[in-house]
Amino acid sequence: MVAVTDSTQTGLGSPLRRVGIVLLASLYAVIAWSKLTLTFDAVEDLRDEAGPHHVLIAVHSLSGVLFFGALAAVSVFRPAPVRREHRPIGWILPMVVMGLFFILGRPEPTTSALRLVIPATLFAVLGTAATLVSLRRLGSNFGVVSDVRGFVSSGPYRRVRHPLYASELVTSFGLLLVVLSPLTVAAFVLGAAAQVARARVEEQAVTAAFPEYQDYARRTPMLIPRIRVRP
């Protein structure tokens, strides 16, 4: 077992790493701010017309504030890793995922159809709640790139190896439903593929630091939990 370094360190490393982390955190913060603006706008609309559409958009946007705000905060305030990522792919994939999130999360909703807004809000709320639970369990082991800060197998990590990434995909699907277009659909599909690739690259790094991760990976699904049906 590799010992975890002092959690009081920032873990940002070299100036280049600092720039990368600050860039990612800033992009998350920009999306969170845009969602906060949309929340205020939706609340203002409620004063003029208290329709279900405005309520749902307000809840949907507020979920986005919590989702992207939490990711921005934990991107910066983290301890030093026990194993740093030096492979370019370990940095490129998170940047790609973030760029695709930006495409999904930045635009204002383009639909008022309840058949889309209702499931979109449901996915956004559930995905955000699951993200916060996963982040709480992950704690200081969270990393933007494939730096290794520890190995967590409790809580939601008992059901799947990457509950945070699964939750992010649920949330991003909720974002997609209110801004449907060829661009956003492509961003979601590419983002899902990039998240899976990112998870595999991350697992290679974790296995190098914690060989016991192989046994955990063999018995635990990656993103979709197994459904056990009792006889």
Side-chain angles (χ1 to χ4, degrees):
M1 182 72 70
V2 180
V4 178
T5 53
D6 186 357
S7 62
T8 60
Q9 301 179 53
T10 61
L12 294 181
S14 68
L16 183 59
R17 286 175 175 272
R18 291 189 182 96
V19 170
I21 297 301
V22 170
L23 176 61
L24 285 170
S26 299
L27 287 174
Y28 282 130
V30 166
I31 304 175
W33 179 258
S34 70
K35 291 300 181 185
L36 183 61
T37 301
L38 288 175
T39 303
F40 288 145
D41 291 343
V43 171
E44 285 293 326
D45 291 338
L46 278 172
R47 296 179 180 179
D48 301 326
E49 181 184 355
H53 167 72
H54 300 303
V55 174
L56 291 169
I57 290 297
V59 173
H60 185 279
S61 300
L62 183 58
S63 297
V65 174
L66 296 174
F67 176 75
F68 288 106
L71 291 178
V74 297
S75 295
V76 176
F77 300 105
R78 298 166 302 130
V82 299
R83 185 179 186 276
R84 289 197 180 279
E85 177 60 84
H86 297 290
R87 298 167 297 173
I89 192 66
W91 283 80
I92 292 172
L93 284 173
M95 294 288 185
V96 170
V97 171
M98 183 62 247
L100 295 170
F101 267 158
F102 191 84
I103 292 173
L104 286 171
R106 190 75 172 84
E108 296 184 11
T110 58
T111 181
S112 58
L114 290 180
R115 69 179 185 278
L116 291 175
V117 176
I118 291 174
T121 303
L122 180 62
F123 279 111
V125 170
L126 291 178
T128 297
T131 296
L132 296 177
V133 170
S134 298
L135 285 174
R136 180 177 176 80
R137 175 61 61 175
L138 196 57
S140 61
N141 294 306
F142 172 82
V144 177
V145 299
S146 301
D147 289 335
V148 179
R149 290 178 168 79
F151 168 30
V152 178
S153 59
S154 59
Y157 289 84
R158 295 177 58 187
R159 304 296 303 277
V160 292
R161 305 197 300 273
H162 299 278
L164 179 59
Y165 293 167
S167 302
E168 289 177 350
L169 289 174
V170 171
T171 303
S172 62
F173 186 70
L175 296 173
L176 168 67
L177 290 178
V178 295
V179 290
L180 281 173
S181 72
L183 176 62
T184 55
V185 170
F188 175 79
V189 173
L190 292 174
Q195 280 285 51
V196 172
R198 179 186 182 187
R200 295 192 183 282
V201 169
E202 181 181 290
E203 290 185 342
Q204 293 171 0
V206 176
T207 302
F210 300 95
E212 61 269 31
Y213 187 86
Q214 289 183 316
D215 292 333
Y216 165 73
R218 277 194 289 268
R219 67 176 185 270
T220 310
M222 176 181 277
L223 294 170
I224 302 175
R226 297 190 182 96
I227 299 176
R228 296 181 174 86
V229 179
R230 294 183 178 180

